[in-house]
């Protein structure tokens, strides 16, 4: 079964092309890193070099701030994962563990059903 998309929940800057489906993991600080699992969608305010190990395991990243030259955008493109940045309210709109579809080509984050992974 392929993942299907539903309603668009957030719109932001399309900063890393591609699409991926996975559970949203809301990470507020370095103290939350232990909760992150491989193929989660990393949802956070912003990233810095300390966050690179999470980006290496993420299927996609959504941040509340940033742009095309932000750390999250650059690292997402290096790792080949979709990225949507400057998605205002991402940490409150998305709920922990909810299956979401990140479209880094068009800058959308929406509901999803089906299998997880990158397309």
């Amino acid at each position: 079964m392929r993942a299907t998309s539903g309603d668009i929940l957030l719109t932001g800057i399309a900063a890393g092309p591609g699409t991926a489906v996975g559970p949203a993991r809301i990470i507020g600080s370095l103290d939350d890193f232990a909760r992150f699992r491989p193929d989660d969608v990393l949802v956070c305010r912003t990233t810095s070099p300390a966050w690179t190990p999470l980006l290496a395991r993420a299927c996609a990243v959504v941040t509340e701030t940033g742009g095309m030259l932000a750390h999250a955008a650059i690292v997402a493109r290096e790792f080949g994962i979709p990225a949507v940045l400057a998605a205002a309210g991402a940490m409150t709109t998305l709920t922990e563990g909810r299956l979401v579809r990140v479209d880094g080509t068009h800058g959308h984050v929406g509901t999803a059903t089906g299998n997880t992974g990158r397309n």
Side-chain angles (χ1 to χ4, degrees), residues 28-79:
S29 70
L30 301 174
D31 295 334
D32 298 330
F33 278 23
R35 292 189 302 103
F36 195 82
R37 292 178 229 138
D39 292 324
D40 281 349
V41 173
L42 175 58
V43 180
C44 57
R45 177 141 175 76
T46 190
T47 69
S48 68
W51 293 66
T52 303
L54 294 190
L55 289 162
R57 298 187 334 228
C59 71
V61 60
V62 178
T63 68
E64 292 187 326
T65 64
M68 290 298 289
L69 296 177
H71 177 265
I74 292 168
V75 176
R77 289 191 298 269
E78 288 175 355
F79 289 152

Side-chain angles (χ1 to χ4, degrees), residues 5-6 8-20 60-62 68 81-87 101-110 119:
S5 60
I8 294 175
L9 302 171
L10 297 165
T11 301
I13 296 171
T19 60
V61 60
V62 178
M68 290 298 289
I81 63 171
V84 175
L85 277 58
R101 182 175 195 267
V102 178
D103 182 342
T105 303
H106 297 101
H108 299 150
V109 180
N119 296 330

Side-chain angles (χ1 to χ4, degrees), residues 1-6 20-23 99-101 111-117 119:
M1 179 166 116
R2 300 263 321 154
T4 59
S5 60
V21 173
L99 199 61
V100 295
R101 182 175 195 267
T111 59
T113 59
N115 294 339
T116 60
N119 296 330

